[in-house]
Amino acid sequence: MTGIMTRIAAVALAAIAVLGDAVPGQARTLVYCSEGDPEALDPGLVTTTTAMSVTWQMFNSLVEFAPGTTDLRPALAESWAVSDGGRTYDFLLREGVRFHANARFTPSRPLEAEDVLFSFLRQWQPDHPYHQVGGDFAYFRDLGLAGLIEGIERLDARRVRFRLKEPDATFLPNLAQAFGGILSAEYADHLMRQGTPEELARAPIGTGPFRFVDYRPGVAVRYRSFPQYWRRPREAGTQVGTDAVEGLVFSITPNTAVRLTKLKAGECHVMAFPGTADLDAVRADHDLALLSGEALNVAYLALNTTRPPMNDLRVRRAISLAIDRRAIVEAVYGPAGTVARNPLPPSSWAFDPDLPEPAFDREAAARLLAQAGLSDGFETDLWYLPVSRPYNPDGRRVADMIRADLARIGIRARLTTRDWNAYRAALYSGAPTMMLYGWTSDNGDPDNFLNVLLGCRAAEPGGANLARWCDPGYDAAVKSARGTVDRETRTQLYREAQNRFREAAPWVPLAHTVVHMGVRRTVEGFRADPLGRALFEGVTAKE
C-alpha cells in the first residue's frame, strides 16, 4: 500500500506541475487521465487508439465519423462525388480552413489541395522526401492503399481527385481514420529548408480544435484551444460560452488505481477505462458519472505461426482447447465482457452467429500435443500487456490464468512484458512466440479486423498481423469482399474467412467488451465512442 500511495503522490505532483504551467492566463483547463504514452504525434505514424486520440485533437481528415457513431460525414471536404464505377473520388475542400501556428512557423494561407496531396503522397510514394522521416507508414501499408491507389491529383486549389485501380468498399471509411489527418505542406516545406524535417512529427500543426503545446513522455501532452478552428462559431470569437475549454491536458497515467484517485480528487475531469472492480465505486460517487458503450473490439492471444512449435496446427489447436476463456472473462472482465468466438465482435454486421463458442477440453488438448510429438509439453514465452486497455483491463491477470491453464497440459510459459511502446515494438517486430494484444476498430468495417489484423500483407515485418499467418484462401475472400459494395455478398465472403480462421487457429480469441469511461459531473458533451476515440471538441467543464 505504501508503494502505490507513493506512486500516486508522485503522479499527482507531476500533474500539478503540468497544470501549473499549462498555458499562462487560461481560464479553464480540462484534464484527461489517459492510459499511456502515444507512440507518435504524427497521424500517419500512429497505430493505437491511445495515440490516435492524441492526434484527433490536432488534426481533421477529409471525411470523419460523427462522435459516438460509425456514420460518415463531411469534414475538411465539404462534399465528395464518386464516379467510374467506384474508382474515382473527387473531394471539394472547405474554404478558409486555417492551420495552427507555433513558435517555428506561422502559415501564410488556409488549407488547399497541396496539403491533401502532401499528406497522402508522403505515405504512398517511397521516393517522397518525407516518406522516411520519423518511421514507416505501417497503417497505410497494412490497409493495402499503396497498391490500391493509382493516382492523387490536384484539380484546382479546392479540388482533389483520388483514382483507384479497382473499386474498394472500404476506401471512404478508411480515409476517415487517423492516418488521413491533413498536415500543412507549407510547414513541411519550411522545415525541410531549415534542415529539420523531423519537427513535423515533434511539433505538429493541423487544423483541429486544439493546437499542440508540448509533450513530456510519461507525464502529459498539452494543448490549447484554437480560436480560428473552422467549426467554431464565428460570432463566439475566441470562446464559446463561459464553460468553454481553453486548455486540454492528456495526463499520462498508466495505473488504473491512480487514474481513479485523480478523478475522485478532481485532478482530472475524465479518466480512461476504470477497472472492472472499480465500476461500482464510480457509480456510488455523487461527483462522478460512469459512461459506457459497446465497443467494436477484440482481445486475443496471438500465436506466432512462423516459430516452432506454433507452426504446427495441432499445437495451436491444443492451446486453444486448453484455455478456459469463460473463466477469464468472468474473473477479469465481469459483466463488461463476453467470450469471443472469432475476430469480429457480435455487433459487427459480418459476424457469423452460427459459429459456436470455442471448446474448452484439456484432455483433447493433451492428445493433440501428443500427436505433435510433444507429450511432455514444451517451454515458451508469453507476453502480457503492461497497461490496461479497453479490450483488456488487466493483462497480467489474464496472462497468469492462461499460464495456469497451459501448465495443466505441460506447456511452461515464461511471462514477459515491457513498457507500452517497447511492448508494441517487440510485437510488431515478431519477437514474441505468444502474445496478448487486442484491437478496437478504427472505422467499424469488418475489413478493419479481418484484413488489417490477419491479411497476408499485414503479416509482413512491421505489420499488424502479429500471428504472421498468411492463408491464400482467407486472403482471397477478404480481398474479394472489399471489391463490392453489396452487403450480402460481403457478409458471405467474410463468414467464409471466419471459418478459415477458426480452422487454422492463429489466435485464441478471448473477449469483447463494453468500454467504460469515468467523468466528473461538471463535464458536459463528452461521450463514450464505439471506435475508442477520446474526443474533446465541444466538451465543456463547469469547474
Side-chain angles (χ1 to χ4, degrees), residues 37 48 385-387 389 391 418-424 437:
D37 278 289
T48 67
L385 296 123
V387 297
R389 303 293 295 147
Y391 49 75
R418 299 285 188 273
D419 69 71
W420 179 228
N421 284 338
Y423 183 85
R424 292 184 56 263
Y437 207 52

Side-chain angles (χ1 to χ4, degrees), residues 78 93-99 109-112 158 207 226 228-231 234:
E78 66 178 40
L93 304 181
R94 295 184 185 276
E95 286 190 279
V97 174
R98 304 297 306 185
F99 282 98
R109 60 165 176 79
L111 170 80
E112 63 176 42
R158 290 185 58 211
T207 60
F226 181 43
Q228 288 78 44
Y229 179 51
W230 59 273
R231 200 148 38 197
R234 291 292 184 261

Side-chain angles (χ1 to χ4, degrees), residues 124-313:
W124 181 39
Q125 297 178 338
D127 60 350
H128 191 280
Y130 270 91
H131 188 73
Q132 299 300 328
V133 176
D136 69 345
F137 300 101
Y139 207 107
F140 185 90
R141 181 191 66 233
D142 287 353
L143 288 172
L145 290 171
L148 174 67
I149 295 174
E150 187 172 69
I152 308 175
E153 306 165 30
R154 177 189 186 276
L155 302 181
D156 59 38
R158 290 185 58 211
R159 293 190 300 150
V160 177
R161 171 171 292 168
F162 286 76
R163 290 182 291 105
L164 308 183
K165 295 177 182 177
E166 59 189 16
D168 191 305
T170 68
F171 183 66
L172 272 179
N174 280 340
L175 289 191
Q177 297 180 57
F179 78 89
I182 304 303
L183 290 74
S184 167
E186 188 183 17
Y187 181 42
D189 289 344
H190 168 78
L191 294 175
M192 189 65 75
R193 289 193 301 270
Q194 296 294 313
T196 58
E198 66 281 354
E199 291 300 304
L200 188 74
R202 294 177 183 171
I205 66 172
T207 60
F210 295 93
R211 68 172 181 83
F212 177 74
V213 174
D214 68 14
Y215 167 43
R216 302 181 191 179
V219 180
V221 184
R222 299 186 303 157
Y223 312 86
R224 188 171 186 175
S225 179
F226 181 43
Q228 288 78 44
Y229 179 51
W230 59 273
R231 200 148 38 197
R232 187 184 298 279
R234 291 292 184 261
E235 66 274 11
T238 62
Q239 185 169 321
V240 183
T242 58
D243 299 323
V245 171
E246 295 182 19
L248 175 65
V249 174
F250 274 43
S251 180
I252 298 161
T253 316
N255 185 284
T256 308
V258 176
R259 289 202 299 274
L260 181 57
T261 297
K262 291 168 69 174
L263 183 71
K264 286 177 168 288
E267 293 174 18
C268 60
H269 300 85
V270 180
M271 72 163 286
F273 321 131
T276 303
D278 295 326
L279 298 182
D280 286 341
V282 177
R283 293 187 185 100
D285 192 319
H286 69 276
D287 291 326
L288 308 179
L290 185 67
L291 306 182
S292 64
E294 186 173 358
L296 289 160
N297 66 20
V298 63
Y300 60 88
L301 175 71
L303 310 176
N304 189 333
T305 60
T306 66
R307 288 174 173 253
M310 302 305 168
N311 57 346
D312 190 320
L313 174 59

